[in-house]
Amino acid sequence: QVLVVESGGGSVQAGGSLRLSCTASGYTASTYCLGWFRQALGKEREGVATFESDGSIGYADSVKGRFTISKDNAKNTLYLQMNNLKPEDTAMYYCAADGITYGGVCSRRPADFAYWGQGTQVTVSS
């Protein structure tokens, strides 16, 4: 059984930073696609950043240059470093594992991921 757990959310002022962490226990695929997603109130869940086992990384345009996804293989932990946060970044952030790749590129569609965490809230005040 795969268990995905996120941590690191919180409340910050605009311009601040947060780092989210995610562990996916029980998931041992040699090739994989992992992702961070977010869902704001009244909006659909959207892909923020993806990390593929070959090291390929993808970002949504709205976070490019501000967010960085990375993985510590020794700790089996996926991170999302979020800098220069904006009020529009306020959302529940989710980590997901076992995503589908298309043409070697990790999908950012929520429907393409099999395992999800419970989410961690990020609130950015102006």
Side-chain angles (χ1 to χ4, degrees):
Q1 182 177 358
V2 177
L3 180 64
V4 180
V5 179
E6 309 95 337
S7 63
S11 297
V12 295
Q13 291 189 326
S17 298
L18 285 172
R19 188 177 77 160
L20 306 183
S21 301
C22 168
T23 58
S25 59
Y27 185 67
T28 58
S30 58
T31 60
Y32 53 78
C33 176
L34 306 173
W36 284 102
F37 295 78
R38 67 186 181 186
Q39 188 167 15
L41 282 175
K43 295 187 177 181
E44 293 186 354
R45 191 169 298 188
E46 63 174 353
V48 174
T50 55
F51 186 98
E52 199 172 347
S53 51
D54 68 356
S56 299
I57 291 173
Y59 296 100
D61 288 344
S62 59
V63 306
K64 281 182 181 177
R66 300 187 299 121
F67 290 12
T68 302
I69 189 172
S70 63
K71 189 173 185 290
D72 185 330
N73 289 323
K75 297 181 179 179
N76 196 29
T77 301
L78 184 73
Y79 299 101
L80 185 68
Q81 177 67 43
M82 305 184 294
N83 297 328
N84 190 22
L85 282 160
K86 303 176 181 180
E88 52 263 43
D89 295 318
T90 294
M92 186 70 80
Y93 282 71
Y94 299 89
C95 177
D98 197 18
I100 296 174
T101 58
Y102 296 96
V105 178
C106 188
S107 172
R108 282 206 300 273
R109 296 197 312 165
D112 288 338
F113 283 74
Y115 304 106
W116 291 84
Q118 293 298 311
T120 184
Q121 178 68 35
V122 171
T123 303
V124 185
S125 58
S126 57

